[in-house]
Amino acid sequence: MKRKKLLFVFNPFSGKGQIKNKLLGIVDQFVKSGYEVTIYPTQKPKDAMELVEDQAGEYDLVVCSGGDGTLDETVTGMMRREKKVPIGYIPTGSTNDFAGSLNIPKSMEQAAQIAVEGEPFACDIGSFNGDYFVYIAAFGLFTDVSYETSQDLKNRIGHAAYLLEGLKRLPNIQSYHLQVTCEEKMIEDEFIYGMITNSTSAGGFKNITGKDVELDDGLFEVTLIRMPKNPIELNEIIRCLTNFINNSELIYTFKTDQLQIKSLGDISWTLDGEYGGSHREVVIQNRKQAVQIMVEKISDQNNSSDLSI
């Protein structure tokens, strides 16, 4: 019987490089599940994106392993293709927000099994001025923390690295005068932070993206934080975020399938934790159910005591 073909792309430096100790077991799982495997360790930024865009059509399944950035590259490469194939994901990064949203376990062996024996889930993908993001596009306070925090620091202390880097920014809060337009409303105000998400967590904080999040409904969750006028308002914002309160006058929250954001000057954006460029105007659209990502079968979830959906 002819074997199916699998392309395995992994970042060898993500998450302390622990995948190197698991590589044999992961590939063995792929082979036992009936795949002929091609292995590719990424060599440079955008490597996974270019490889997937050029060669994914030659395979039945693409599995990537790394942090959110590796997943972003893999999905972006797939979105640039006319013929798309399902993607399996083995998370090994410091935060892995989107893996948590999909209930993909932290265990590399379990994630590898789901990648080849699970079922495809048609997931929404974000379009951002012609680029793509998997689960978050953000600007403002803290958004450059991920890509300015060193890989070594991420590896040594994990999620705490983002918090330590972020605390340095508090004395120098910058605001942005923005016009935000979607089908439902138009908002013009001063903001210190904004995120457009399709995830149940961001920056490692669960539920901060909003309530009733569905990853395949064609809608983003939008959070925009106004510039506080005094320390009392800043404390109110912190209280709302830490207690997941979304009815404050200092924070706009809503759902939409597309929006346009205009600013007076260039604003730096981050897409899935990686630098997304500086823009004065961005158009963000939800590409509903655009890519299939392998998740645990419903029957397996019901029989598992370790995982819950």
Side-chain angles (χ1 to χ4, degrees), residues 157-169:
I157 61 175
H159 181 240
Y162 297 108
L163 298 180
L164 289 174
E165 185 68 26
L167 288 173
K168 300 176 185 176
R169 316 300 170 87

Side-chain angles (χ1 to χ4, degrees), residues 38-51:
T38 299
I39 304 172
Y40 187 89
T42 57
Q43 305 295 304
K44 62 183 188 300
K46 307 298 183 185
D47 214 6
M49 180 189 72
E50 294 169 0
L51 181 69

Side-chain angles (χ1 to χ4, degrees), residues 211-272:
K211 299 178 180 178
D212 304 318
V213 175
E214 296 182 19
L215 307 183
D216 61 348
D217 61 356
L219 296 174
F220 295 120
E221 283 68 41
V222 180
T223 301
L224 301 169
I225 301 176
R226 295 173 59 196
M227 177 67 179
K229 296 183 177 65
N230 51 57
I232 295 175
E233 289 193 351
L234 178 59
N235 286 335
E236 171 72 7
I237 289 170
I238 294 171
R239 186 183 71 86
C240 290
L241 292 177
T242 53
N243 293 285
F244 313 120
I245 299 169
N246 59 6
N247 60 352
S248 169
E249 292 183 355
L250 297 169
I251 303 176
Y252 294 93
T253 59
F254 56 93
K255 294 176 183 277
T256 188
D257 63 347
Q258 62 178 356
L259 69 163
Q260 181 184 55
I261 299 177
K262 294 181 179 180
S263 60
L264 298 176
D266 288 345
I267 295 179
S268 294
W269 285 78
T270 177
L271 305 179
D272 296 332

